Amino acid sequence: MDVTEYLGADIYVVVDCDDLGKVIVRTAVESEVGAGDHLGLQFHANKLHFSDANGHFVLLS
């Protein structure tokens, strides 16, 4: 994990996923994550959001 950003009730975490690239993950403020931690990720398909290289959201069909 590279960066954590506290935003009230949530923490946004930038996770380096090697070949996949960097992924931004939103988690609860109670999560005890810190820079340099190794994380296991589990995704809920209905809560994923994708953006292109310019930061524009990509709609999936």
Side-chain angles (χ1 to χ4, degrees):
M1 175 180 40
D2 290 342
V3 177
T4 60
E5 183 175 359
Y6 172 73
L7 294 172
D10 299 318
I11 296 176
Y12 285 81
V13 180
V14 179
V15 180
D16 185 351
C17 295
D18 294 328
D19 293 339
L20 180 61
K22 294 190 180 195
V23 176
I24 299 173
V25 177
R26 184 179 77 180
T27 187
V29 72
E30 294 85 17
S31 299
E32 295 183 10
V33 295
D37 288 352
H38 291 262
L39 305 175
L41 300 177
Q42 194 173 23
F43 300 99
H44 296 278
N46 62 337
K47 295 187 178 192
L48 293 174
H49 303 280
F50 296 94
S51 60
D52 63 17
N54 296 316
H56 299 106
F57 284 108
V58 176
L59 297 176
L60 303 176
S61 57

